[in-house]
Amino acid sequence: MAQPVPFLEDFDAVLPGAGTGWLDRLRADAQEAFRKSGLPTPRTEAWKYTNLRRLARTGFVAAEANQTTEVTTVPEGIVALEDAYVAVFVNGRFAPSLSSLDGLSEGVEATSLAAKLSADRTSLEGQFSDVTDLPMATLNTGLLSDGLYLKLDDGVALDKPLHLVSIGTAGEEPVSFHPRHLIVAGAGSVATIVESHVGSGAYFSNSVSEVSVGDGAVLNHYKLQNEGPEAYHLAANLVRIADRAVYDNFVLQVGGNLARNEIRSELGERVECRLNGAYLACGEQHIDNTTFIDHAAPNSSSREVYKGVLDENARGVFQGKILVRQDSQKTDGHQLNKTLLLSPGTEIDTKPELEIYADDVQCSHGATTGELEEEPLFYLRARGIDPQTARGMLVAAFVGEALDEIQAEAPRAAFQAVVDDWLESRSERQG
Amino acid sequence: MSLIEIRDLHATVDGKEILKGIDLTIEAGEVHAIMGPNGSGKSTLSYVLAGRDGYEVTSGQVLFDGEDLLEMEADERARSGLFLAFQYPVEIPGVATTTFLKTAVNAVREHRGEGALDAMQFLKFVREKAGALNINDDMLRRALNVGFSGGEKKRNEVLQMAVLEPKFAVLDETDSGLDIDALKIVADGVNALRGAERGMLVITHYQRLLDYIVPDHVHILAGGKIIQSGDKTLALELEEKGYASFVGAEAA
Ligand SMILES: Nc1ncnc2c1ncn2[C@@H]1O[C@H](COP(=O)(O)OP(=O)(O)OP(=O)(O)O)[C@@H](O)[C@H]1O
Ligand SMILES: [Mg+2]
């Protein structure tokens, strides 16, 4: 007898836009592909360090079939932004009552993907990327239903950040959902998008975000993964950056039981691509950051700084690949991954990969892993600072170097506050 | 009661005995100088006093204000009024000098029951002290010692001493790497802290510093022991004859 396929077995909800030819086919093909591949296992190179065995055993039911939990307020733990447009999703479904998208200027369309798929059956045809080599994203396509649809017309500047808030919630039964976000920033547009992922209970968020940064556009894209302690969070971010555009990305991962944020970026000419991040984990958490920067055209620069702090028995994974294609001369690509291990039970797997086919390039990568150094600690203590405070200062300084990479000031401060909270609760744990 | 009393102090680093029986008593109000060849154990003595991990005291005793110094953790020692100006100040990226100074000052103040300074009070306080040492706001804003020149690092050490107002300070080669003007500035900063309540131990290779910070006593440390003590003329004698004659005499 064939093994049941997780997530697709007994899935009988009617998805938005069903009955639309291209969409039915897209989903059916993806489902078929996922039935063949199944969940990735450590035998696949890309999933060598992040094992989904426990996720597979959890027996999640589709959120569509389990709408028992009501969410009436946005929980704590999101990025604290004073002034922003807010699009809230509960278990992957757009929640208009919790959102505030009023006052968006002309040339900006922000709506739910489900609404878009139901109302307008043709405009999104061909808009979804082929993700066949990403099994979890393929599953997402197979069950594609809702998410954020954001489109900025050419030359439009968003007057305040758009905050995408994802709330996961589960009662007795573990719940899974597969949000699909489409973000299209037109040529010369300017915007800041902030994501917060929070929730409680045993849920599994399997999201895909497709981001297209138009010619000469500037897109700041900052994400906080602060999921509940029992949550699984797998996210694939597919980013296309057109010529002369600037993409400033930052990912802060502090939550979840097991989480992986994967970014695939493809760079045009004279692009400035910044993929930075930090991860702070404790307990039995497993946090994975996997990035791929494809220098597909000449004269572009990419910068990547990922810093991690692991405590107790936490496990971290960093996989960063930079590909410089043959014609991509004058590429400037730099990658750095540093991890601080605060206790002997922690573990980090870091895998930098440079694949360079052009000869006139400047590329570097570096990875360090270690404990807090004795010398600076002693220096601080020799000035009367108690060891706990001294350690806290050094850890904060370590993470601070990554946070400094965030180009937009208000989000930087808000992310700093999340880090400060984490450090504070850490020192409280240690009593 | 003496300010600090070191009795027959033996210490090892990585299993190797570096301090081989140091006896030294400093009274409140006194400045002592230690001179000695490279590798004689001067910095080791300063680290042992400051409480650095890895510097193991195998025998002997140190009383600081009548209390057993060696029983205290490094940070407790500092809060109790012991200060070490490092021979090689440590660079700490990501920690702003002001933040560091404020944390340290408030830790020490709270220990003394003086209450923490708020941001404004602190800034006023630190600016005044920094100005006297020719340290500007830009340096205070920068990460601790990162990219500071050798002389700037040393001045920053003296600034830390000035704001922490210790009872007993060890200055480990605070003069090395300073230009002539900076040497005077640093010496003035040190002299400003001299007082009936305070004691200092100044480690140096150069008699010149002692022209500015005139010591009450001078000791020669060689091979982990104090082999000779005297008044300030000992430094002059040393400058003239070199260590060989003293070390030779000891060996003989
Ligand atoms: N970790 C260590 N392991 C072994 N030996 C050490 C260690 N640290 C210091 N030493 C040795 O201890 C001795 C004393 O060193 P110390 O730094 O105290 O000398 P010093 O008198 O301050 O010299 P200088 O004038 O050059 O500053 C030296 O021989 C040094 O090599
Ligand atoms: Mg020395």
Side-chain angles (χ1 to χ4, degrees), chain A residues 323-377:
Chain A
L323 168 65
V324 182
R325 293 179 193 265
Q326 195 166 1
D327 294 332
S328 302
Q329 301 296 357
K330 307 279 181 203
T331 288
D332 190 45
H334 298 281
Q335 180 194 89
L336 185 65
N337 172 229
K338 286 188 179 182
T339 310
L340 198 50
L341 305 177
L342 295 180
S343 79
T346 57
E347 197 181 324
I348 174 80
D349 289 296
T350 173
K351 191 175 119 192
E353 227 181 317
L354 288 184
E355 210 176 300
I356 302 174
Y357 298 101
D359 45 29
D360 183 14
V361 301
Q362 285 206 0
C363 286
S364 69
H365 69 81
T368 63
T369 298
E371 299 162 25
L372 277 181
E373 287 174 59
E374 187 270 340
E375 225 188 3
L377 203 54

Short mmCIF file of all heavy atoms in Angstrom, two decimals, chain A residues 323-377:
data_model
loop_
_atom_site.label_atom_id
_atom_site.label_comp_id
_atom_site.label_asym_id
_atom_site.label_seq_id
_atom_site.Cartn_x
_atom_site.Cartn_y
_atom_site.Cartn_z
N LEU A 323 26.39 32.47 -6.37
CA LEU A 323 26.75 32.02 -7.72
C LEU A 323 27.06 33.25 -8.57
O LEU A 323 26.25 34.17 -8.65
CB LEU A 323 25.59 31.23 -8.32
CG LEU A 323 25.67 30.92 -9.82
CD1 LEU A 323 26.83 29.97 -10.13
CD2 LEU A 323 24.35 30.30 -10.30
N VAL A 324 28.24 33.25 -9.17
CA VAL A 324 28.57 34.34 -10.09
C VAL A 324 28.72 33.73 -11.48
O VAL A 324 29.65 32.96 -11.74
CB VAL A 324 29.88 35.05 -9.68
CG1 VAL A 324 30.17 36.20 -10.63
CG2 VAL A 324 29.79 35.55 -8.25
N ARG A 325 27.77 34.05 -12.34
CA ARG A 325 27.78 33.44 -13.67
C ARG A 325 28.88 34.04 -14.53
O ARG A 325 29.41 35.11 -14.24
CB ARG A 325 26.42 33.62 -14.33
CG ARG A 325 25.35 32.80 -13.59
CD ARG A 325 23.99 32.97 -14.21
NE ARG A 325 22.97 32.43 -13.33
CZ ARG A 325 22.46 31.20 -13.43
NH1 ARG A 325 22.87 30.39 -14.38
NH2 ARG A 325 21.54 30.80 -12.59
N GLN A 326 29.17 33.34 -15.61
CA GLN A 326 30.33 33.65 -16.43
C GLN A 326 30.37 35.10 -16.92
O GLN A 326 31.41 35.74 -16.95
CB GLN A 326 30.37 32.71 -17.63
CG GLN A 326 31.72 32.72 -18.31
CD GLN A 326 31.86 31.55 -19.27
OE1 GLN A 326 30.95 30.74 -19.43
NE2 GLN A 326 33.01 31.45 -19.90
N ASP A 327 29.21 35.63 -17.28
CA ASP A 327 29.19 36.99 -17.82
C ASP A 327 29.05 38.06 -16.74
O ASP A 327 29.02 39.25 -17.05
CB ASP A 327 28.02 37.14 -18.80
CG ASP A 327 28.23 36.27 -20.03
OD1 ASP A 327 29.41 36.00 -20.35
OD2 ASP A 327 27.24 35.83 -20.62
N SER A 328 28.99 37.64 -15.51
CA SER A 328 28.74 38.61 -14.43
C SER A 328 30.04 39.23 -13.93
O SER A 328 30.39 39.10 -12.74
CB SER A 328 27.98 37.95 -13.30
OG SER A 328 26.78 37.40 -13.78
N GLN A 329 30.74 39.91 -14.85
CA GLN A 329 32.00 40.55 -14.46
C GLN A 329 31.72 41.69 -13.49
O GLN A 329 30.61 42.19 -13.42
CB GLN A 329 32.72 41.09 -15.70
CG GLN A 329 33.05 40.02 -16.74
CD GLN A 329 34.05 38.96 -16.24
OE1 GLN A 329 34.54 39.03 -15.12
NE2 GLN A 329 34.32 37.96 -17.07
N LYS A 330 32.76 42.08 -12.78
CA LYS A 330 32.69 43.19 -11.80
C LYS A 330 31.66 42.93 -10.70
O LYS A 330 31.07 43.85 -10.16
CB LYS A 330 32.34 44.52 -12.50
CG LYS A 330 33.25 44.88 -13.65
CD LYS A 330 34.53 45.50 -13.17
CE LYS A 330 35.42 45.88 -14.36
NZ LYS A 330 36.84 45.96 -13.98
N THR A 331 31.46 41.69 -10.41
CA THR A 331 30.58 41.36 -9.29
C THR A 331 31.32 41.58 -7.99
O THR A 331 32.50 41.29 -7.88
CB THR A 331 30.13 39.89 -9.38
OG1 THR A 331 29.20 39.76 -10.45
CG2 THR A 331 29.48 39.42 -8.10
N ASP A 332 30.59 42.10 -7.02
CA ASP A 332 31.16 42.35 -5.71
C ASP A 332 30.28 41.60 -4.71
O ASP A 332 29.14 41.99 -4.48
CB ASP A 332 31.11 43.87 -5.47
CG ASP A 332 31.90 44.29 -4.25
OD1 ASP A 332 33.02 43.80 -4.08
OD2 ASP A 332 31.37 45.09 -3.46
N GLY A 333 30.75 40.51 -4.19
CA GLY A 333 29.89 39.71 -3.32
C GLY A 333 30.59 39.33 -2.02
O GLY A 333 31.66 38.73 -2.04
N HIS A 334 29.98 39.70 -0.92
CA HIS A 334 30.62 39.41 0.36
C HIS A 334 29.65 38.78 1.33
O HIS A 334 28.53 39.24 1.50
CB HIS A 334 31.23 40.67 0.95
CG HIS A 334 32.29 41.26 0.08
ND1 HIS A 334 33.57 40.77 0.03
CD2 HIS A 334 32.22 42.25 -0.83
CE1 HIS A 334 34.27 41.45 -0.87
NE2 HIS A 334 33.47 42.36 -1.41
N GLN A 335 30.11 37.75 1.96
CA GLN A 335 29.24 37.01 2.88
C GLN A 335 29.97 36.74 4.19
O GLN A 335 31.16 36.44 4.20
CB GLN A 335 28.88 35.67 2.24
CG GLN A 335 27.99 34.80 3.09
CD GLN A 335 27.94 33.38 2.57
OE1 GLN A 335 28.74 32.54 2.93
NE2 GLN A 335 27.00 33.11 1.70
N LEU A 336 29.24 36.89 5.28
CA LEU A 336 29.82 36.65 6.59
C LEU A 336 28.79 35.98 7.49
O LEU A 336 27.65 36.41 7.56
CB LEU A 336 30.24 38.00 7.20
CG LEU A 336 30.98 37.96 8.53
CD1 LEU A 336 32.32 37.27 8.37
CD2 LEU A 336 31.17 39.39 9.04
N ASN A 337 29.19 34.92 8.14
CA ASN A 337 28.31 34.27 9.10
C ASN A 337 29.08 34.05 10.39
O ASN A 337 30.15 33.44 10.40
CB ASN A 337 27.82 32.92 8.54
CG ASN A 337 27.04 32.11 9.58
OD1 ASN A 337 27.29 30.94 9.78
ND2 ASN A 337 26.10 32.74 10.25
N LYS A 338 28.55 34.60 11.48
CA LYS A 338 29.22 34.43 12.77
C LYS A 338 28.21 33.90 13.78
O LYS A 338 27.10 34.42 13.88
CB LYS A 338 29.73 35.76 13.29
CG LYS A 338 30.96 36.29 12.58
CD LYS A 338 31.46 37.50 13.34
CE LYS A 338 32.70 38.09 12.70
NZ LYS A 338 33.19 39.23 13.49
N THR A 339 28.59 32.92 14.52
CA THR A 339 27.69 32.36 15.51
C THR A 339 28.37 32.28 16.86
O THR A 339 29.52 31.86 16.98
CB THR A 339 27.23 30.95 15.09
OG1 THR A 339 26.76 31.01 13.75
CG2 THR A 339 26.10 30.47 15.98
N LEU A 340 27.62 32.72 17.84
CA LEU A 340 28.10 32.71 19.21
C LEU A 340 27.41 31.56 19.92
O LEU A 340 26.18 31.47 19.94
CB LEU A 340 27.69 34.05 19.83
CG LEU A 340 28.37 34.55 21.09
CD1 LEU A 340 29.87 34.51 20.97
CD2 LEU A 340 27.89 35.98 21.35
N LEU A 341 28.19 30.68 20.48
CA LEU A 341 27.62 29.54 21.19
C LEU A 341 27.74 29.79 22.69
O LEU A 341 28.84 29.89 23.22
CB LEU A 341 28.37 28.26 20.80
CG LEU A 341 28.44 27.97 19.30
CD1 LEU A 341 29.26 26.71 19.03
CD2 LEU A 341 27.04 27.83 18.71
N LEU A 342 26.59 29.93 23.34
CA LEU A 342 26.63 30.31 24.75
C LEU A 342 26.61 29.13 25.69
O LEU A 342 26.78 29.29 26.89
CB LEU A 342 25.46 31.26 25.07
CG LEU A 342 25.50 32.62 24.36
CD1 LEU A 342 24.30 33.46 24.76
CD2 LEU A 342 26.79 33.36 24.68
N SER A 343 26.34 27.95 25.16
CA SER A 343 26.42 26.80 26.06
C SER A 343 26.85 25.56 25.29
O SER A 343 26.72 25.49 24.07
CB SER A 343 25.10 26.59 26.80
OG SER A 343 24.18 25.96 25.96
N PRO A 344 27.39 24.58 26.01
CA PRO A 344 27.99 23.43 25.33
C PRO A 344 26.99 22.56 24.58
O PRO A 344 27.38 21.81 23.69
CB PRO A 344 28.66 22.65 26.47
CG PRO A 344 28.15 23.23 27.75
CD PRO A 344 27.61 24.58 27.46
N GLY A 345 25.69 22.69 24.89
CA GLY A 345 24.70 21.86 24.22
C GLY A 345 24.31 22.36 22.83
O GLY A 345 23.54 21.71 22.13
N THR A 346 24.83 23.51 22.42
CA THR A 346 24.42 24.10 21.15
C THR A 346 25.21 23.52 19.98
O THR A 346 26.24 22.89 20.17
CB THR A 346 24.66 25.62 21.16
OG1 THR A 346 26.03 25.85 21.45
CG2 THR A 346 23.80 26.29 22.20
N GLU A 347 24.67 23.76 18.80
CA GLU A 347 25.34 23.24 17.61
C GLU A 347 25.01 24.14 16.42
O GLU A 347 23.88 24.56 16.25
CB GLU A 347 24.82 21.84 17.35
CG GLU A 347 25.69 21.03 16.42
CD GLU A 347 25.12 19.64 16.17
OE1 GLU A 347 24.52 19.06 17.11
OE2 GLU A 347 25.23 19.16 15.04
N ILE A 348 26.00 24.39 15.59
CA ILE A 348 25.76 25.17 14.38
C ILE A 348 26.37 24.44 13.18
O ILE A 348 27.48 23.93 13.26
CB ILE A 348 26.35 26.60 14.49
CG1 ILE A 348 26.24 27.39 13.17
CG2 ILE A 348 27.80 26.60 14.94
CD1 ILE A 348 24.90 28.00 12.90
N ASP A 349 25.61 24.35 12.13
CA ASP A 349 26.15 23.86 10.87
C ASP A 349 26.17 25.03 9.91
O ASP A 349 25.13 25.61 9.61
CB ASP A 349 25.27 22.75 10.30
CG ASP A 349 25.37 21.49 11.12
OD1 ASP A 349 26.47 20.92 11.16
OD2 ASP A 349 24.36 21.10 11.75
N THR A 350 27.34 25.40 9.46
CA THR A 350 27.42 26.52 8.55
C THR A 350 28.11 26.08 7.27
O THR A 350 29.13 25.42 7.30
CB THR A 350 28.06 27.75 9.21
OG1 THR A 350 28.27 28.75 8.24
CG2 THR A 350 29.36 27.42 9.88
N LYS A 351 27.47 26.43 6.16
CA LYS A 351 27.97 25.97 4.87
C LYS A 351 27.98 27.11 3.86
O LYS A 351 27.00 27.34 3.17
CB LYS A 351 27.09 24.83 4.37
CG LYS A 351 27.69 24.11 3.17
CD LYS A 351 26.85 22.93 2.80
CE LYS A 351 26.32 23.08 1.40
NZ LYS A 351 25.29 22.15 1.04
N PRO A 352 29.09 27.83 3.79
CA PRO A 352 29.20 28.85 2.76
C PRO A 352 29.61 28.20 1.45
O PRO A 352 30.33 27.19 1.46
CB PRO A 352 30.32 29.76 3.28
CG PRO A 352 31.09 28.94 4.27
CD PRO A 352 30.30 27.72 4.62
N GLU A 353 29.14 28.75 0.36
CA GLU A 353 29.45 28.15 -0.93
C GLU A 353 29.61 29.27 -1.96
O GLU A 353 28.67 30.03 -2.19
CB GLU A 353 28.26 27.29 -1.34
CG GLU A 353 28.60 25.92 -1.84
CD GLU A 353 27.33 25.17 -2.23
OE1 GLU A 353 26.32 25.24 -1.49
OE2 GLU A 353 27.33 24.56 -3.29
N LEU A 354 30.78 29.38 -2.52
CA LEU A 354 30.99 30.37 -3.59
C LEU A 354 31.21 29.60 -4.88
O LEU A 354 32.06 28.72 -4.94
CB LEU A 354 32.25 31.21 -3.32
CG LEU A 354 32.24 32.25 -2.21
CD1 LEU A 354 33.55 33.03 -2.20
CD2 LEU A 354 31.09 33.22 -2.38
N GLU A 355 30.44 29.94 -5.87
CA GLU A 355 30.62 29.29 -7.15
C GLU A 355 30.81 30.40 -8.17
O GLU A 355 29.87 31.13 -8.48
CB GLU A 355 29.38 28.46 -7.46
CG GLU A 355 29.65 27.24 -8.31
CD GLU A 355 28.37 26.42 -8.48
OE1 GLU A 355 27.80 25.98 -7.47
OE2 GLU A 355 27.94 26.25 -9.64
N ILE A 356 32.02 30.55 -8.66
CA ILE A 356 32.35 31.72 -9.48
C ILE A 356 32.86 31.30 -10.84
O ILE A 356 33.84 30.57 -10.95
CB ILE A 356 33.42 32.57 -8.75
CG1 ILE A 356 32.89 32.98 -7.37
CG2 ILE A 356 33.77 33.81 -9.57
CD1 ILE A 356 33.90 33.70 -6.52
N TYR A 357 32.18 31.80 -11.86
CA TYR A 357 32.60 31.48 -13.22
C TYR A 357 33.15 32.69 -13.97
O TYR A 357 33.67 32.55 -15.06
CB TYR A 357 31.43 30.86 -14.00
CG TYR A 357 30.97 29.56 -13.38
CD1 TYR A 357 29.85 29.50 -12.58
CD2 TYR A 357 31.72 28.39 -13.57
CE1 TYR A 357 29.44 28.32 -11.99
CE2 TYR A 357 31.33 27.20 -12.97
CZ TYR A 357 30.19 27.17 -12.19
OH TYR A 357 29.82 26.00 -11.60
N ALA A 358 33.01 33.88 -13.41
CA ALA A 358 33.56 35.08 -14.04
C ALA A 358 34.95 35.32 -13.45
O ALA A 358 35.21 34.89 -12.33
CB ALA A 358 32.65 36.27 -13.78
N ASP A 359 35.84 36.01 -14.21
CA ASP A 359 37.19 36.15 -13.66
C ASP A 359 37.47 37.50 -13.00
O ASP A 359 38.32 37.61 -12.17
CB ASP A 359 38.25 35.84 -14.73
CG ASP A 359 37.93 36.52 -16.05
OD1 ASP A 359 37.29 37.59 -16.01
OD2 ASP A 359 38.29 35.97 -17.11
N ASP A 360 36.68 38.52 -13.35
CA ASP A 360 36.96 39.84 -12.79
C ASP A 360 35.93 40.16 -11.71
O ASP A 360 35.02 40.96 -11.91
CB ASP A 360 36.91 40.87 -13.93
CG ASP A 360 37.27 42.26 -13.44
OD1 ASP A 360 37.79 42.37 -12.32
OD2 ASP A 360 37.03 43.22 -14.18
N VAL A 361 36.09 39.55 -10.57
CA VAL A 361 35.10 39.72 -9.50
C VAL A 361 35.81 39.90 -8.16
O VAL A 361 36.99 39.57 -8.03
CB VAL A 361 34.16 38.49 -9.39
CG1 VAL A 361 33.43 38.25 -10.68
CG2 VAL A 361 34.94 37.26 -8.97
N GLN A 362 35.07 40.43 -7.22
CA GLN A 362 35.58 40.51 -5.85
C GLN A 362 34.59 39.79 -4.96
O GLN A 362 33.49 40.29 -4.73
CB GLN A 362 35.66 41.96 -5.40
CG GLN A 362 36.81 42.70 -6.01
CD GLN A 362 37.24 43.86 -5.12
OE1 GLN A 362 36.67 44.07 -4.05
NE2 GLN A 362 38.25 44.57 -5.55
N CYS A 363 34.97 38.63 -4.48
CA CYS A 363 34.05 37.88 -3.65
C CYS A 363 34.78 37.36 -2.43
O CYS A 363 35.96 37.02 -2.49
CB CYS A 363 33.48 36.69 -4.42
SG CYS A 363 32.26 37.20 -5.64
N SER A 364 34.06 37.29 -1.34
CA SER A 364 34.67 36.72 -0.15
C SER A 364 33.58 36.10 0.72
O SER A 364 32.41 36.45 0.61
CB SER A 364 35.37 37.81 0.65
OG SER A 364 34.41 38.69 1.20
N HIS A 365 34.00 35.17 1.53
CA HIS A 365 33.07 34.68 2.54
C HIS A 365 33.86 34.32 3.78
O HIS A 365 35.05 34.05 3.72
CB HIS A 365 32.26 33.49 2.04
CG HIS A 365 33.08 32.26 1.86
ND1 HIS A 365 33.40 31.43 2.90
CD2 HIS A 365 33.64 31.72 0.76
CE1 HIS A 365 34.13 30.43 2.44
NE2 HIS A 365 34.30 30.59 1.15
N GLY A 366 33.18 34.37 4.90
CA GLY A 366 33.85 34.01 6.14
C GLY A 366 32.83 33.48 7.11
O GLY A 366 31.67 33.87 7.08
N ALA A 367 33.27 32.56 7.92
CA ALA A 367 32.37 32.01 8.93
C ALA A 367 33.17 31.78 10.20
O ALA A 367 34.28 31.25 10.15
CB ALA A 367 31.75 30.71 8.45
N THR A 368 32.63 32.23 11.31
CA THR A 368 33.28 31.95 12.58
C THR A 368 32.24 31.43 13.55
O THR A 368 31.07 31.75 13.48
CB THR A 368 33.92 33.20 13.21
OG1 THR A 368 32.88 34.14 13.50
CG2 THR A 368 34.94 33.84 12.30
N THR A 369 32.71 30.60 14.44
CA THR A 369 31.85 30.04 15.46
C THR A 369 32.65 30.04 16.74
O THR A 369 33.82 29.66 16.72
CB THR A 369 31.50 28.59 15.12
OG1 THR A 369 30.79 28.59 13.89
CG2 THR A 369 30.63 27.96 16.18
N GLY A 370 32.06 30.48 17.82
CA GLY A 370 32.82 30.42 19.05
C GLY A 370 32.04 30.89 20.25
O GLY A 370 30.89 31.29 20.15
N GLU A 371 32.71 30.81 21.38
CA GLU A 371 32.12 31.27 22.63
C GLU A 371 32.48 32.73 22.83
O GLU A 371 33.29 33.27 22.09
CB GLU A 371 32.67 30.43 23.78
CG GLU A 371 32.35 28.96 23.65
CD GLU A 371 33.25 28.10 24.52
OE1 GLU A 371 33.76 28.63 25.53
OE2 GLU A 371 33.46 26.93 24.18
N LEU A 372 31.91 33.33 23.87
CA LEU A 372 32.31 34.68 24.22
C LEU A 372 33.78 34.65 24.60
O LEU A 372 34.22 33.73 25.29
CB LEU A 372 31.50 35.18 25.41
CG LEU A 372 30.12 35.76 25.14
CD1 LEU A 372 29.51 36.23 26.45
CD2 LEU A 372 30.18 36.92 24.15
N GLU A 373 34.51 35.65 24.18
CA GLU A 373 35.93 35.65 24.48
C GLU A 373 36.18 36.08 25.92
O GLU A 373 35.48 36.91 26.46
CB GLU A 373 36.66 36.59 23.53
CG GLU A 373 36.77 36.03 22.13
CD GLU A 373 37.38 37.06 21.19
OE1 GLU A 373 38.51 37.48 21.47
OE2 GLU A 373 36.71 37.45 20.24
N GLU A 374 37.23 35.50 26.47
CA GLU A 374 37.56 35.76 27.87
C GLU A 374 38.06 37.19 28.06
O GLU A 374 37.74 37.85 29.04
CB GLU A 374 38.61 34.75 28.34
CG GLU A 374 38.94 34.79 29.82
CD GLU A 374 40.07 35.75 30.17
OE1 GLU A 374 40.89 36.12 29.30
OE2 GLU A 374 40.14 36.13 31.35
N GLU A 375 38.84 37.67 27.09
CA GLU A 375 39.53 38.96 27.27
C GLU A 375 38.58 40.14 27.43
O GLU A 375 38.69 40.90 28.40
CB GLU A 375 40.49 39.18 26.09
CG GLU A 375 41.82 39.66 26.54
CD GLU A 375 42.72 40.06 25.39
OE1 GLU A 375 42.29 40.03 24.22
OE2 GLU A 375 43.86 40.42 25.69
N PRO A 376 37.64 40.33 26.49
CA PRO A 376 36.70 41.44 26.68
C PRO A 376 35.84 41.28 27.93
O PRO A 376 35.52 42.26 28.59
CB PRO A 376 35.82 41.41 25.42
CG PRO A 376 36.25 40.28 24.61
CD PRO A 376 37.48 39.67 25.19
N LEU A 377 35.51 40.03 28.24
CA LEU A 377 34.71 39.79 29.44
C LEU A 377 35.47 40.25 30.69
O LEU A 377 34.93 40.91 31.57
CB LEU A 377 34.41 38.29 29.51
CG LEU A 377 33.21 37.85 30.30
CD1 LEU A 377 31.95 38.56 29.85
CD2 LEU A 377 33.03 36.34 30.17
#
